[in-house]
Amino acid sequence: QVVNYAPFTLLPSAVPSALFEQAYAVQQDFNLLVDAISQNKEFLERTLASTIKVDDFTAQLFRIYTQVLEEGLAQSVFLGINRSDYMFDCGVDGTPALKQIEINTIAASFGGLTSRTAAVHGRVLKVLGKSKEASRLVPNNPSKGLALGIAKAWELYGSQSAVVMFLVEEDQRNIFDQRCIENELWDRNIRVIRKRFRDVFEKGSLDDARRLYMDGQEVAVVYYREGYMPKNYDQQNWEARLLLERSRAVKCPDIATQLAGTKKVQQELSQPGMLERLLSGHAEAVTRIRATFAGLYSLDMGKEGDKIAAMAIADPDRFVLKPQREGGGNNLYGEELRQILEKIKDSPERTSYILMDKIKPQPAMNYLLRAHSPLQVSECISELGIFGVYVRQGKEMVMNTAAGHLLRTKAIEHADGGVAAGVAVLDTPYLV
Ligand code: ADP
Ligand code: MG
């Protein structure tokens, strides 16, 4: 229970401006895509069929999804807050290309803290006598953009006295990031409460119209900053999750949108013709989205999957093996990847993973500043995230925006892991 400063780089990192713009330009397309998938039962069912046979966590989410659909949705306003993450892949000729790592459709974090990093780096550059460079740092305020989405959903829910509930972790490590968004809501006269699954289990209830109440207070919007990994749930927490999903409250995200963010869905999107089917009539959006895809491969049972597994075993350094998990530190690389695949290559267990081309960015030197860590210069790589926010009422999109960005940087010796996992640190893009 000690407060530390959030880790950050001493200096901003160079980001090619064309790729930065490309990432912003494709964000509204990704918002549309995620929203379309969340409404496509046939696609989710077919895509996740092999996964839910072997992955208990996805299976449990899927059971709630099915149960809520069978009962009929009480919710009519939908709010999506996502973050699409990219690295700059260095091609054979050295030209960097924007390649998506993944899209986070639940609890995408650091929009709050990163709203402050440009000011920190601006100051550092001035101290170093680089005022001209400092003035070139792009302003960035995702916390405001995320709050505007939550505020819109709250307004459309249509009850002045209802509150926004942040569903937060048992152990609140990232509270200050969340407070940045919360403060924006209070500034707009929207009341915010912070509760855990446990509180919902003990004190949450639905009335006949499936309005959600906490301690007698009506809840308009549930903003999840928790609930994306198996260890967030025990039996009671699953019951609390079901109660929330059955309610009329706007869930950010609803369970269908959480499923749309699985790695298996990401892999399926890369299949020929798939984007065209999901986004028919949006040919330009499809082209922009596809341009960001790295190679993704299914390990489903069958001849094709056998070939993919053999290819990865023969050349493990070209790939990343990913289970259906979020939060960093779950992927497998190199020798470890080879060993696991060797072990499970003939078993259905392999279908709980997807395989992805490894993206290889050009490293740069920087200092990573972390409480209680020695100061040393490291060879680093960066990952750019763009925050997407959208609100849908019934069938109509009423908001669709890119709300800001996040740059995270880590030392190259760490293959995996984000800021919360203790590996990456907050950074600011310096456009070149
Ligand atoms: P999680 O849901 O756990 O955040 P990610 O897919 O974002 O999973 O992977 C975690 C980290 O692993 C990323 O932040 C990135 O550093 C690294 N990583 C993931 N995929 C790739 C890839 N294809 N190439 C290189 N690094 C990757
Ligand atoms: Mg990630």
Side-chain angles (χ1 to χ4, degrees):
Q1 307 304 332
V2 173
V3 176
N4 283 324
Y5 66 87
F8 63 102
T9 55
L10 179 62
L11 300 164
S13 294
V15 167
S17 57
L19 303 191
F20 185 75
E21 281 159 27
Q22 186 190 350
Y24 264 94
V26 72
Q27 188 54 46
Q28 285 165 303
D29 306 326
F30 272 116
N31 291 346
L32 275 185
L33 177 64
V34 171
D35 187 51
I37 296 168
S38 77
Q39 295 173 78
N40 193 328
K41 178 159 180 273
E42 188 271 328
F43 174 82
L44 283 174
E45 245 166 24
R46 187 171 43 74
T47 302
L48 296 172
S50 58
T51 310
I52 62 180
K53 280 193 202 132
V54 287
D55 188 284
D56 291 342
F57 180 63
T58 313
Q60 183 61 37
L61 293 172
F62 201 83
R63 269 195 289 278
I64 294 181
Y65 166 66
T66 316
Q67 191 174 339
V68 169
L69 278 187
E70 272 166 15
E71 186 182 20
L73 292 185
Q75 176 180 356
S76 60
V77 177
F78 297 83
L79 164 65
I81 292 181
N82 62 55
R83 200 189 66 223
S84 181
D85 290 336
Y86 307 90
M87 280 183 177
F88 313 117
D89 193 30
C90 231
V92 262
D93 61 350
T95 321
L98 186 76
K99 290 296 162 197
Q100 188 182 49
I101 296 289
E102 64 156 347
I103 188 157
N104 303 280
T105 60
I106 179 166
S109 59
F110 294 107
L113 295 183
T114 202
S115 300
R116 311 291 177 89
T117 46
V120 172
H121 287 119
R123 173 70 66 85
V124 172
L125 289 178
K126 283 180 192 169
V127 169
L128 292 171
K130 305 225 171 263
S131 317
K132 201 173 99 241
E133 286 81 356
S135 69
R136 288 193 44 201
L137 295 175
V138 212
N140 182 34
N141 191 3
S143 49
K144 181 170 175 204
L146 306 193
L148 286 175
I150 297 173
K152 187 72 189 167
W154 175 85
E155 178 198 317
L156 293 174
Y157 179 87
S159 169
Q160 280 289 323
S161 59
V163 301
V164 171
M165 177 165 80
F166 282 32
L167 203 290
V168 297
E169 322 93 284
E170 197 62 40
D171 181 14
Q172 305 192 16
R173 284 182 61 216
N174 210 5
I175 183 168
F176 297 110
D177 182 50
Q178 298 156 7
R179 289 278 193 214
C180 297
I181 301 162
E182 179 179 336
N183 291 343
E184 294 277 349
L185 292 167
W186 284 105
D187 286 348
R188 289 168 178 77
N189 294 316
I190 299 172
R191 299 183 67 81
V192 176
I193 58 173
R194 298 172 56 83
K195 300 288 173 191
R196 298 159 301 186
F197 275 126
R198 169 147 59 113
D199 305 311
V200 175
F201 178 81
E202 285 166 6
K203 298 192 178 133
S205 64
L206 305 186
D207 71 5
D208 290 345
R210 279 192 269 159
R211 279 184 284 254
L212 173 67
Y213 289 87
M214 276 300 293
D215 286 328
Q217 249 177 338
E218 186 175 359
V219 177
V221 180
V222 179
Y223 173 44
Y224 291 105
R225 292 296 297 255
E226 163 87 336
Y228 51 88
M229 44 165 101
K231 75 165 197 247
N232 300 155
Y233 293 94
D234 56 16
Q235 191 49 43
Q236 295 192 348
N237 290 3
W238 279 120
E239 280 179 40
R241 179 74 195 260
L242 177 62
L243 182 92
L244 297 175
E245 293 304 319
R246 291 183 55 230
S247 80
R248 219 184 83 118
V250 183
K251 271 77 64 183
C252 179
D254 66 341
I255 201 145
T257 305
Q258 180 173 359
L259 288 169
T262 51
K263 310 265 186 304
K264 182 62 193 174
V265 164
Q266 180 187 10
Q267 177 265 304
E268 183 67 12
L269 294 176
S270 73
Q271 296 291 312
M274 199 55 71
L275 287 175
E276 286 79 356
R277 268 159 60 192
L278 289 162
L279 287 179
S280 67
H282 294 92
E284 285 174 4
V286 166
T287 308
R288 281 190 294 265
I289 289 173
R290 178 157 299 121
T292 69
F293 283 176
L296 289 147
Y297 313 91
S298 163
L299 288 165
D300 281 359
M301 301 312 281
K303 275 220 175 70
E304 193 53 35
D306 293 346
K307 250 172 49 196
I308 299 298
M311 171 178 84
I313 287 169
D315 200 356
D317 287 330
R318 255 186 63 201
F319 303 100
V320 182
L321 186 64
K322 299 189 174 189
Q324 309 303 309
R325 290 291 171 272
E326 303 295 327
N330 303 299
N331 300 337
L332 298 155
Y333 302 81
E335 183 52 25
E336 215 183 345
L337 176 159
R338 198 190 59 75
Q339 280 175 14
I340 293 274
L341 262 189
E342 194 63 74
K343 202 170 95 203
I344 62 173
K345 67 177 195 295
D346 298 318
S347 133
E349 202 188 328
R350 79 179 194 202
T351 61
S352 63
Y353 295 89
I354 63 150
L355 190 74
M356 183 174 184
D357 282 344
K358 191 184 202 169
I359 297 167
K360 297 184 171 146
Q362 179 67 49
M365 306 306 274
N366 211 330
Y367 289 90
L368 307 181
L369 309 187
R370 228 183 243 114
H372 314 302
S373 284
L375 186 61
Q376 60 184 49
V377 68
S378 312
E379 236 185 314
C380 298
I381 54 175
S382 301
E383 186 168 344
L384 175 70
I386 307 291
F387 288 96
V389 179
Y390 59 90
V391 178
R392 172 167 55 83
Q393 186 172 34
K395 292 273 159 220
E396 194 200 347
M397 265 306 197
V398 292
M399 180 188 277
N400 181 2
T401 60
H405 56 268
L406 167 71
L407 192 71
R408 293 173 297 167
T409 292
K410 65 180 184 185
I412 51 166
E413 49 270 28
H414 296 288
D416 206 307
V419 180
V423 171
V425 309
L426 302 174
D427 197 351
T428 300
Y430 183 81
L431 299 185
V432 292

